């Protein structure tokens, strides 16, 4: 077993096993998220064709990355070059050779195209690097940079490999040993002279430049070599790169061996890493984009498997976190699971039972801070229906007894919470804190007219406000006026307030009702966070 | 800065009326004000029912009462408006309300007695059509069912029947559970829920077993928010009896209904309303008035050639009091008030004479232009209307809405 065979076997094994593991994850995580509620009915033939068109437009034209022209250009160049390289070059034995009679990698158009595709890819990568550095640096992790580095390594080492092969006298000798067995010494010298001059091979010995010798070399080349070798000038990048190596250095054979190992090794590394981490995104994202059929809403038919797949399709591009409506809450609380990209990763770990308890609490909190505004779903370039994932996971977490502080609050009445919270060292509660709820000026205008309660849409939708909400807004204001702040912190009204501000806008006395309710809720959340041992 | 013909300061009865009259005259109008008096209204439009206060004399003919009032109280704001102006003002005001779904009726030249949540009979001039069947029921002493709801604090049918048992023995009462709601009830939520015909049907079904031989059915005022006529007639159809409303204790929904009608109707007349904004700064010049409405980042600068001060008394925040004095909030106009604080209130809270502080307000000339400390006109194009005017106790005289609407009419006419 040589390097190539061992590498290929290991890489394929890793890729195969990883792919199976991934698919198992789709089923398992999808099922763990619960049965999806049926959205739109399944499409008919025309609808299906429309979805296919939409999916292909997303997949082929990379429509969803258009938000950032830099990213779109980089991705398009990379894909335009890299996919043909994999298919036509890396897999030439199974694709190109059976399809095209007389295929040789050293013949045009393959030799030329390989350089062209490689150039596309190499040009795309710096753009992607720049985009990540400028817009997404704070969201980026090691694997994001590693993926770029491995692809770049494969491409650049490929060019160097070809470049050294062009210069390699060793390769020339191997070929002539095989195909020039009966050659006269003069013929061999003429051929060498011709190849040194026309194809850039670097020989240590002095070679004649007499026209008749070169003519003989050209004839011999036409007879014996041209069937398998196009002029190396058509490998326009690799051939140009030979200028990087000074003529006095005779390292072509060593360089060829080195870069062969680097190129093949990195290609195997890429193949081996393919199912792991972000390396898998070209597969998962592609399938997800097709399954979403171009939709940016949350209305496509859902399936447990599709949910499992969606969880894998994240490319960690950071668009969702950049556009998250509650990113401000992340800045204040520091909980990374408020932002969709990190929340998705932790949700996956949670579904795999690999999430440590403190991160689990962060995930629950992040899930409940999300306002389900749909924005992440709309901007996701991988077409993930994030909104559906958040709603399903929130439901699953709640069913598993992890409803977060909002859920905790609803387990007891305001009176029970008052006893619980008042028995703790609550700092500001009931003291002379600086909050609105602590200042007499906030309430002294209140005449208990119930206007705030009368206009409150939360009270309006309740069948029985005292049962569902514990206290009405004006009752909360009254308790605060009496200094009974602890009595209000656990009131369901405080936790159900949508901060629509109708109460505050209608108060005839200018009491900042909504601001106070929000403050109480933040204070209650802070206390419960401390209770969970998180700062 | 936006420039308007008129700036109306206040969004109570006087402010709304002044805005309406000015806009209907084709003037460009800006209006500011916060939630206030009108939101706590019973929905009745009183003209004048009691005079003199000390005698508690109730008048059936409000115009006869006005004659007596103008003779006895020459400083009363009603002395600044003629009967003719009052009639035109009320006509214009109720026509506008009618166009926006709030039907009003009354008897020409006569006050009508109407039932209150306390069971008393209140003399008023114009009342919402939804209350009119109650007047007929009371006047014929017809057998009537009064319905109230478990959890609604603003009206007790039993209390009404108890108070009225001698003069209206045929009152029956029923307390029912309001369909779809439990616990403490709030009139606005109930009124909105009545927009659903299915809810009305449920309500009628619950009430029907109690109707028996009753000829009328009375409800707390919760019958719809913007569609009161339709709700009322649907209930009448379902119950097979004339139905009426009794206003609940404030805040009832009569106030929000009025405000909603203006919210719908005034912008359509081209009025720019700055809701929930009080005037925080005012400056006068020969050209007009510069105002800052609201505070902080949401404040707005407004310029107007004329202004109407309809900012109300204490609840409307037109007047402010510290421990020694009463101030006018926008221009710091001189306020007529008792000499010292000891004279603000009488010892008895329910003293039939009322309290001196309830007559505090600003002085004006014949055209309702506020006067400065020297008794001269403060600014030729500043007028005042409504509760902020001195020498009237609208609560005890039962003249609040009428006075507000009539003085607003006069103020606009004098611009």
């Amino acid at each position: 077993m040589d390097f190539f065979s061992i590498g290929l076997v290991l890489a394929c094994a890793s890729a195969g096993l990883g792919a199976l593991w991934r698919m198992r994850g789709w089923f398992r995580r999808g099922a763990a998220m619960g049965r999806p509620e049926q959205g739109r009915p399944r499409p008919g033939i025309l609808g299906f064709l429309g979805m296919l068109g939409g999916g292909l437009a997303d997949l082929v034209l990379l429509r969803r990355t258009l938000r950032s022209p830099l990213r779109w250009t980089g991705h398009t160049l990379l894909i335009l070059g890299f996919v043909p390289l994999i298919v036509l070059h890396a897999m030439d034995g199974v694709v190109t050779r059976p399809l095209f009679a007389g295929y040789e990698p050293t013949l045009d158009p393959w030799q030329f195209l390989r350089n062209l595709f490689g150039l596309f890819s190499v040009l795309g990568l710096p753009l992607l690097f720049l985009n990540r550095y400028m817009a997404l640096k704070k969201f980026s992790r090691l694997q994001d940079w590693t993926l770029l580095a491995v692809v770049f390594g494969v491409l650049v080492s490929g060019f160097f490999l070809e470049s050294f092969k062009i210069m390699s006298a060793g390769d020339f000798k191997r070929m002539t040993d095989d195909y020039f067995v009966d050659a006269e010494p003069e013929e061999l010298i003429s051929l060498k002279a011709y190849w040194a001059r026309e194809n850039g091979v670097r020989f240590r010995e002095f070679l004649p430049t007499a026209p008749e010798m070169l003519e003989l070399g050209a004839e011999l080349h036409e007879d014996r070599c041209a069937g398998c070798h196009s002029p190396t000038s058509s490998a326009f990048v690799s051939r140009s790169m030979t200028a990087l190596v000074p003529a006095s250095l005779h390292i072509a054979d060593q360089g060829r061996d080195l870069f062969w190992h680097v190129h093949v090794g990195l290609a195997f590394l890429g193949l081996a890493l393919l199912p792991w981490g972000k390396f898998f995104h070209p597969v998962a994202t592609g399938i997800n984009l097709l399954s979403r059929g171009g939709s940016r809403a949350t209305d496509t038919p859902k399936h447990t498997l599709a949910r499992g797949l969606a969880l894998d399709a994240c490319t960690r591009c950071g668009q969702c976190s950049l556009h998250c409506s509650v990113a401000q809450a992340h800045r204040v609380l520091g909980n990374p699971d408020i932002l969709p990209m990190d929340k998705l990763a932790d949700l996956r770990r949670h579904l795999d039972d690999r999430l440590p308890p403190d991160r689990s609490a962060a995930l629950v909190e992040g899930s409940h801070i999300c306002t389900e505004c749909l924005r992440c779903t709309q901007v996701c370039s991988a077409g993930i229906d994030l909104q559906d994932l958040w709603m399903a996971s929130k439901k699953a977490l709640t069913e598993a007894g992890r409803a977060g502080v909002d859920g905790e609050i609803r387990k007891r009445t305001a009176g029970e919470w008052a006893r619980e919270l008042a028995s703790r060292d609550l700092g500001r509660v009931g003291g002379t804190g600086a909050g609105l709820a602590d200042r007499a000026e906030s309430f002294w205008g209140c005449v208990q007219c119930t206007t705030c309660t009368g206009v409150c849409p939360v009270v309006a939708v309740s069948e029985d406000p005292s049962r569902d909400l514990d206290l009405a807004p004006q009752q909360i204001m009254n308790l605060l006026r009496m200094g009974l702040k602890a009595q209000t912190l656990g009131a369901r009204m405080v936790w159900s307030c949508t901060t629509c501000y109708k109460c505050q806008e209608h108060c005839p006395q200018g009491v900042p009702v909504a601001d106070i309710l929000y403050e109480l809720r933040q204070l209650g959340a802070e206390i419960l966070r401390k209770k969970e041992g998180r700062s | 800065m936006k420039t308007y013909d008129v700036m109306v300061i206040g969004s109570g009865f006087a402010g709304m009326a002044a805005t309406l009259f000015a806009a209907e005259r084709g003037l460009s109008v800006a209006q500011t004000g916060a939630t206030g008096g009108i939101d706590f209204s019973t929905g009745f439009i009183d003209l004048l029912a009691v005079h003199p206060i000390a005698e508690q004399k109730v008048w059936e003919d409000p115009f006869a009462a006005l004659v007596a009032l103008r003779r006895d109280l020459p400083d009363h704001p009603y002395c600044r408006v003629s009967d003719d102006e009052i009639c035109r003002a009320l006509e214009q005001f109720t026509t506008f309300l009618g166009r926006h779904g709030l039907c009003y009726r009354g008897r020409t030249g006569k006050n009508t007695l109407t039932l209150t949540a306390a069971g008393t009979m209140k003399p008023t001039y114009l009342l919402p059509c939804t209350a009119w069947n109650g007047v007929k029921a009371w006047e014929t002493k017809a057998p009537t069912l009064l319905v109230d709801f478990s959890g609604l604090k603003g009206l007790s049918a039993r209390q009404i029947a108890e108070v009225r048992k001698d003069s209206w023995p045929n009152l029956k009462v029923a307390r029912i559970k309001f369909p779809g709601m439990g616990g403490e009830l709030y009139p606005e939520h109930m009124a909105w829920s009545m927009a659903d015909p299915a809810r009305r049907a449920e309500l009628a079904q619950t009430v029907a077993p109690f109707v028996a031989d009753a000829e009328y059915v009375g409800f707390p005022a919760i019958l719809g928010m913007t569609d009161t006529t339709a709700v009322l007639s649907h209930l009448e159809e379902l119950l097979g009896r004339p139905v009426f409303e009794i206003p609940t204790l404030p805040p009832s929904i009569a106030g929000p209904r009025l405000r909603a009608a203006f919210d719908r109707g005034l912008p359509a007349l081209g009025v720019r309303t700055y809701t929930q904004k009080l005037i925080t700064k005012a400056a006068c010049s020969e050209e007009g008035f510069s105002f800052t409405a609201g505070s902080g980042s949401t404040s707005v600068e407004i310029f107007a050639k004329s202004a109407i001060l309809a900012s109300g008394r204490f609840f409307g925040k037109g007047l402010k009091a510290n421990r020694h004095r009463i101030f006018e909030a926008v221009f710091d106009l001189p306020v007529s008030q008792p000499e010292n604080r000891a004279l603000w209130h009488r010892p008895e809270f329910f003293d039939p004479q009322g309290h001196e502080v309830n007559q505090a307000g600003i002085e004006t000339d014949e055209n309702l232009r506020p006067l400065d400390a020297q008794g001269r006109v403060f600014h030729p194009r500043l007028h005042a209307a409504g509760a902020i005017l001195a020498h009237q106790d609208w609560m005890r005289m039962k003249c609040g809405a009428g006075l507000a609407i009539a003085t607003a009419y006069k103020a606009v006419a004098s611009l």
Side-chain angles (χ1 to χ4, degrees), chain A residues 449-451 453-454 456 459-460 463-465 472 505-506 508-509, chain B residues 35-36 40 180-184 186 188-189 250-251 276 315 317:
Chain A
C449 70
T450 72
T451 295
T453 302
C456 175
V459 178
E463 279 185 15
D464 185 346
E505 283 168 7
H506 283 77
Q509 297 293 81
Chain B
T35 309
F40 293 81
M181 292 186 189
E184 190 170 337
Y186 298 91
E188 194 166 331
H189 303 156
Q276 290 303 99
F315 194 47
K317 298 174 188 59

Side-chain angles (χ1 to χ4, degrees), chain B residues 6 47 62 198 342:
Chain B
V6 197
L47 180 49

Side-chain angles (χ1 to χ4, degrees), chain B residues 48-372:
Chain B
L48 179 63
V50 176
H51 173 74
I53 298 172
E55 292 171 27
Q56 295 282 293
K57 185 180 175 186
V58 177
W59 295 72
E60 191 183 9
D61 179 350
F63 292 96
L66 276 167
V67 173
L69 177 139
R70 290 187 187 118
R71 183 186 63 221
D72 302 339
L73 303 173
D75 291 330
H76 195 286
Y78 261 144
C79 299
R80 312 278 196 247
V81 283
S82 67
D83 289 359
D84 186 40
E85 285 168 322
I86 293 172
C87 291
R88 274 186 276 143
L90 291 177
E91 173 72 24
Q92 201 174 335
F93 192 81
T94 51
T95 303
F96 168 84
L97 289 179
R99 277 206 305 273
H100 293 281
L102 294 185
C103 156
Y104 270 81
R105 68 183 289 182
R107 294 182 172 117
T108 312
K110 269 189 177 181
N111 281 324
T112 302
L113 287 179
T114 184
L115 197 56
T116 71
T120 56
M121 301 308 297
K122 175 187 161 81
T124 190
Y125 191 58
L126 294 166
L127 57 160
C129 296
T130 53
W132 193 255
N133 285 327
V135 173
K136 289 203 283 187
W138 153 252
E139 287 175 351
T140 57
K141 307 293 185 288
T144 298
L145 172 70
L146 294 184
V147 175
D148 69 8
F149 301 105
S150 311
L152 178 68
K153 284 178 175 164
L155 187 136
S156 159
R158 222 179 112 197
Q159 183 189 346
I160 296 173
E162 192 63 29
V163 172
R164 291 259 67 88
K165 65 184 174 192
D166 296 333
S167 56
W168 193 355
N170 287 328
L171 277 183
K172 284 201 311 170
V173 299
R175 173 160 295 181
I176 62 162
K177 183 186 174 303
F178 189 74
M181 292 186 189
E184 190 170 337
L185 304 182
Y186 298 91
E188 194 166 331
H189 303 156
M190 300 164 84
W192 282 117
S193 81
M194 293 300 283
D196 179 5
R199 180 59 55 87
R200 296 174 213 154
E202 278 178 77
L203 177 62
Q205 211 172 6
T206 320
V207 172
F210 300 98
V211 175
D213 59 349
E215 291 171 20
Y216 291 84
V217 183
F219 286 95
I222 50 100
L223 304 182
M225 203 62 199
T226 56
D227 47 358
T228 48
T229 315
V231 174
L232 193 84
S233 50
H234 188 205
L235 271 182
E236 287 182 334
E237 189 186 309
L238 290 163
L239 291 168
R241 303 284 190 285
V243 166
F244 62 92
E245 284 190 319
I246 310 159
T248 59
L249 291 181
S252 72
I253 56 155
R257 275 180 190 163
L258 281 166
R259 177 176 285 279
F262 284 105
D263 284 347
R264 290 197 297 278
L266 291 180
L269 295 172
V271 174
R272 178 67 170 93
T273 50
Y274 296 94
T275 51
Q276 290 303 99
K277 285 196 192 318
L278 295 177
I279 297 293
T280 47
K281 224 160 82 185
C284 314
S285 65
E286 278 192 16
E287 291 76 38
F289 305 86
S290 304
F291 295 105
T292 304
S295 56
S297 60
T298 58
S299 66
V300 286
E301 305 288 323
I302 303 155
F303 184 86
K305 293 172 202 155
S306 308
I308 294 175
L309 187 64
S311 48
R313 240 170 224 168
F314 300 103
F315 194 47
K317 298 174 188 59
L319 297 185
K320 286 182 177 172
N322 64 18
R323 292 202 170 273
H324 309 286
R325 268 190 67 213
I326 299 167
F327 305 88
E328 189 279 311
V330 179
F331 297 101
D332 199 17
L333 296 166
V335 177
S336 273
Q337 55 190 292
E339 263 178 47
N340 62 60
R341 185 172 164 145
L343 302 173
W344 285 11
H345 296 95
R346 289 172 196 274
E348 296 293 323
F349 187 74
F350 289 112
D351 191 310
Q353 304 241 13
H355 304 283
E356 282 301 309
V357 73
N358 291 334
Q359 306 246 0
I362 56 174
E363 303 282 351
T364 67
D365 72 351
E366 288 298 309
N367 289 320
L368 292 171
R369 292 181 296 185
L371 304 179
D372 64 14

Side-chain angles (χ1 to χ4, degrees), chain A residues 82-144:
Chain A
F82 205 71
V83 171
L85 278 180
I86 290 176
V87 177
L88 299 176
H89 167 60
M91 296 165 64
D92 59 358
V94 287
V95 178
T96 327
R97 198 177 295 279
L99 282 179
F100 298 94
Y103 164 80
E104 285 300 334
T106 43
L107 276 179
D108 279 336
W110 317 110
Q111 185 172 260
F112 166 76
L113 284 177
R114 193 163 58 242
N115 274 256
L116 186 68
F117 293 141
L119 186 66
F120 281 164
S121 303
V122 169
L123 289 177
L125 278 171
L127 300 184
L128 291 177
F129 180 87
L130 203 62
N131 177 58
R132 185 156 284 280
Y133 188 80
M134 292 196 316
L136 309 167
K137 193 179 175 189
K138 63 179 173 177
F139 302 116
S140 300
R141 292 180 186 174
L142 183 64
Q143 58 168 302
D144 299 316

